[in-house]
Amino acid sequence: MRVLTDDDVRAALPSWHELLDLAEEALVALAEGRAEAPPKPAVHTAPGMFANAMPAAHPERNLLGCKWISVVPDNPVRGLPTATGVMIVNDGTTGEPTCLMPATELTAVRTAAVTGACVRALAGDDPITYLGAGSQARSHMAMLAALGRREVTVWARRASALRELTEWARSGAPGLTILSASSREAAVRDAGTIITGLSIGLTDTRLPVTLPRSDALMLPLDYASSIGPDLAETATLAADDMRQFEAVRADRAKLGAYPRATAWTGHLLGQSRPRGRVVIANLGSGASDLLVADAIATRAQSAGLGTEVAL
């Protein structure tokens, strides 16, 4: 089994365009029943903290794997990433583990790639707003730059975090200009696409129903922290995995009184965009993690990265 470090994972990352293709492939395979990713169980050790096991299989690619990931909203105060964990990739025929890698960078690029697949297919050329400057902001800025976006409006609760993101973007997201919004309302009002990356579990940051455009595409990364149930009720609601969405929806602490999703994200990507508002709640699927992790493992092996360990 090949064991990778964080540096190995970063060195073996595919291009953003390949990452978006892998994310789209996973979303479509889930929607069509060609990939298996059961609803992820969650465990808790403290309020607001949770950890998920995310198994997945993709028979057409002969892939099997599982990500173990914890989400601790207070970690940035400790100087640690909000999400940490490990990903294991197995041979789909023998079940043997073939690669073990840290999951922080994997999760960041996979999440941004899933968002990017939706932006690429459904956003058009309308202005994009991103709410937040936390752990997901950098990967999303890099993804938007790779898509050829020239500018994105960003609002964050902490001005210092927004300044740090803007400084990082000069080299980390070349060609992309971050427009700093004076208020959340100013950031959202004219946006055609709204990506929300605030902390999961907040309830005082939800957008008023009247604020987003009547045709806005909304891509919440933060469950119901920004896009609440009342706003979701006004939109076509899709999810990366409708079965998992139903399991999460049953936990009122995460989604409140959210409506049922009526479409799979993977189905929307191949269709004309629905009229009116669209909310796409991609809660994170092990299928997209698995495809991205396999691509990283393959590139790492070709480059001689990592350490071979006998089990």
Side-chain angles (χ1 to χ4, degrees):
M1 179 177 67
R2 186 172 297 272
V3 179
L4 305 181
T5 65
D6 283 308
D7 287 341
D8 294 332
V9 170
R10 282 188 284 268
L13 285 175
S15 71
W16 276 109
H17 290 286
E18 183 179 348
L19 287 168
L20 266 62
D21 288 344
L22 290 168
E24 181 172 344
E25 179 183 344
L27 291 167
V28 172
L30 280 169
E32 295 179 350
R34 295 184 289 106
E36 183 179 356
K40 49 192 178 186
V43 291
H44 309 78
T45 60
M49 175 272 183
F50 63 92
N52 292 130
M54 300 173 63
H58 197 304
E60 293 173 8
R61 282 180 169 262
N62 197 37
L63 287 177
L64 179 69
C66 184
K67 186 173 79 172
W68 169 250
I69 189 79
S70 63
V71 177
V72 183
D74 293 339
N75 264 359
V77 185
R78 304 181 177 100
L80 297 171
T82 301
T84 56
V86 293
M87 176 80 199
I88 189 162
V89 181
N90 302 71
D91 182 282
T93 300
T94 66
E96 291 182 301
T98 58
C99 190
L100 177 70
M101 67 185 72
T104 299
E105 190 73 18
L106 166 67
T107 301
V109 298
R110 179 270 286 163
T111 305
V114 169
T115 301
C118 297
V119 170
R120 184 173 65 177
L122 302 170
D125 297 324
D126 280 346
I128 294 180
T129 281
Y130 188 96
L131 300 183
S135 58
Q136 284 291 339
R138 294 189 179 190
S139 58
H140 277 75
M141 296 304 110
M143 175 273 293
L144 291 171
L147 279 178
R149 292 286 175 164
R150 296 298 184 91
E151 58 185 35
V152 58
T153 298
V154 178
W155 174 84
R157 292 189 297 163
R158 292 187 298 113
S160 60
L162 181 50
R163 286 194 298 269
E164 290 173 8
L165 177 65
T166 302
E167 178 64 29
W168 171 87
R170 292 191 178 100
S171 58
L176 181 72
T177 298
I178 292 180
L179 305 176
S180 176
S182 58
S183 68
R184 184 183 60 163
E185 289 72 20
V188 168
R189 187 173 294 112
D190 296 322
T193 297
I194 304 166
I195 306 168
T196 68
L198 301 181
S199 296
I200 294 173
L202 299 175
T203 57
D204 60 347
T205 53
R206 289 177 178 169
L207 297 173
V209 174
T210 55
L211 185 55
R213 282 173 26 175
S214 62
D215 61 347
L217 170 65
M218 291 169 272
L219 298 162
L221 313 176
D222 50 17
Y223 286 57
S225 294
S226 300
I227 311 299
D230 53 350
L231 185 48
E233 286 277 9
T234 71
T236 297
L237 176 60
D240 49 357
D241 189 323
M242 290 179 65
R243 293 161 299 192
Q244 179 177 284
F245 185 82
E246 276 302 297
V248 175
R249 198 173 73 91
D251 183 353
R252 291 298 185 94
K254 290 183 178 177
L255 284 175
Y258 239 73
R260 292 179 181 272
T262 57
W264 292 74
T265 303
H267 285 155
L268 283 191
L269 298 183
Q271 301 174 358
S272 298
R273 176 174 160 175
R275 294 191 176 194
R277 290 172 171 170
V278 178
V279 172
I280 303 182
N282 296 321
L283 302 184
S285 167
S288 50
D289 285 308
L290 181 58
L291 264 63
V292 172
D294 176 59
I296 292 170
T298 300
R299 289 169 61 89
Q301 182 174 13
S302 298
L305 299 171
T307 305
E308 286 290 340
V309 176
L311 296 179

